[in-house]
Amino acid sequence: MSSHLIAAQTRAVTKSFGSGTSRIEVLHDVNLNTYESEILMLLGPSGCGKTTLISIIAGTLTPDRGEVTVLGQELHKMSKAAITKFRARNVGFIFQQFNLIPTITCEENACVPLLIQGMSMSRALPHAREMLAQVGLQEHMKKRPNQLSGGQQQRVAIARALVHKPRLIICDEPTAALDAENGRMVMELFRSLIRQPGRCALVVTHDHRILHFADRIATMNDGKIIESVPTEEFDFEHHQ
Ligand SMILES: Nc1ncnc2c1ncn2[C@@H]1O[C@H](COP(=O)(O)OP(=O)(O)O)[C@@H](O)[C@H]1O
Ligand SMILES: [Mg+2]
């Protein structure tokens, strides 16, 4: 299943927040590999540093020390502007909070990554509608986010993150607000999108219902990766 080519890698990544005596190191020398064509799920208790780590891989947060290589690009050697441009083209980030724009429709929300890349709204809309249909929202495209349920809003956020067919899909608890059926739909969509070479998905989750969609499962605790194994080697009973 995995070609074992590395898609994203962190080496000895360290990150602290705060300053002076209230400075706290939340990532300690984190080494993590994600491989092409793989869905990697990242598990770990609240506060252990999952969101911090995936934000560093996505390029939205800079580590204090360490190396981050994503799709062959060494982010630690790139300027902020170059990282922003790289991220806009190659990364689809699904936030824990959906971050939808409340004043525009769902289809307009789903266009945003394409607009950022300079596409016109009229050219972007068909792509947005296609992706919204793939997450089962064809009936709701003209509504504003507050006219939808939490699970539907989460699917709009997913469609928006995927509309530009990013090579790296990163999502922070993508199925938290979804029922089993929609959770499965979203994981199957990820699977179909990463089938092309050079793509992968990194998914933070607490949701044991979707763990079997992973190719590899990494476990984090207290700012460190403590295990990263193929799903068939993962000890499900121990982690219930
Ligand atoms: N911007 C920030 N400023 C200060 N502390 C932060 C910030 N972001 C995260 N933290 C702290 O870093 C630790 C790890 O947070 P986070 O990466 O969000 O964990 P997780 O996603 O695993 O719940 C927590 O103790 C959190 O309070
Ligand atoms: Mg988090």
Side-chain angles (χ1 to χ4, degrees):
M1 202 177 283
S2 162
S3 60
H4 291 290
L5 289 171
I6 290 172
Q9 178 178 64
T10 69
R11 280 290 160 262
V13 159
T14 297
K15 180 70 181 175
S16 303
F17 291 112
S19 57
T21 52
S22 63
R23 191 170 172 84
I24 303 173
E25 191 176 285
V26 302
L27 296 180
H28 323 294
D29 289 323
V30 171
N31 299 315
L32 182 67
N33 288 344
T34 71
Y35 298 93
E36 289 191 2
S37 308
E38 216 177 53
I39 297 177
L40 172 72
M41 293 201 191
L42 182 59
L43 289 176
S46 185
C48 74
K50 303 180 300 295
T51 297
T52 305
L53 177 58
I54 62 171
S55 302
I56 286 171
I57 294 170
T60 56
L61 204 60
T62 315
D64 302 336
R65 286 198 309 276
E67 299 184 351
V68 185
T69 306
V70 179
L71 307 171
Q73 300 290 309
E74 297 180 290
L75 300 194
H76 51 283
K77 294 183 180 169
M78 290 161 64
S79 68
K80 271 219 162 93
I83 291 174
T84 301
K85 200 169 163 195
F86 171 78
R87 190 175 63 239
R89 288 195 74 83
N90 294 294
V91 181
F93 199 108
I94 301 153
F95 299 90
Q96 206 163 359
Q97 302 80 18
F98 317 134
N99 292 354
L100 297 173
I101 302 169
T103 50
I104 62 176
T105 64
C106 293
E107 61 183 14
E108 289 164 343
N109 267 283
C111 285
V112 166
L114 296 172
L115 305 181
I116 289 171
Q117 285 184 42
M119 196 183 276
S120 66
M121 182 66 93
S122 60
R123 285 193 55 215
L125 273 171
H127 297 281
R129 288 174 184 146
E130 185 203 319
M131 201 49 83
L132 286 164
Q134 288 213 44
V135 294
L137 291 176
Q138 52 275 57
E139 312 289 309
H140 303 287
M141 303 200 215
K142 311 273 183 211
K143 293 182 182 166
R144 281 195 297 277
N146 68 4
Q147 296 174 288
L148 302 183
S149 72
Q152 290 168 332
Q153 289 182 37
Q154 189 156 32
R155 283 183 279 149
V156 176
I158 289 166
R160 178 187 56 185
L162 302 180
V163 73
H164 57 310
K165 308 264 164 63
R167 289 175 60 196
L168 175 60
I169 300 170
I170 298 186
C171 31
D172 212 348
E173 315 222 6
T175 58
L178 301 182
D179 57 31
E181 164 83 26
N182 283 312
R184 193 164 56 242
M185 186 195 317
V186 166
M187 294 315 300
E188 277 162 8
L189 177 60
F190 289 174
R191 174 65 69 201
S192 75
L193 289 172
I194 67 165
R195 203 162 278 145
Q196 286 168 279
R199 293 168 184 265
C200 76
L202 170 55
V203 179
V204 170
T205 189
H206 283 301
D207 186 354
H208 280 258
R209 295 172 309 179
I210 65 167
L211 277 184
H212 63 279
F213 282 101
D215 298 300
R216 175 178 296 273
I217 300 175
T219 318
M220 215 176 159
N221 200 4
D222 195 17
K224 277 189 172 299
I225 299 289
I226 53 175
E227 184 184 41
S228 175
V229 293
T231 304
E232 58 270 22
E233 292 171 24
F234 184 74
D235 182 358
F236 282 90
E237 275 178 31
H238 180 250
H239 286 271
Q240 277 312 316

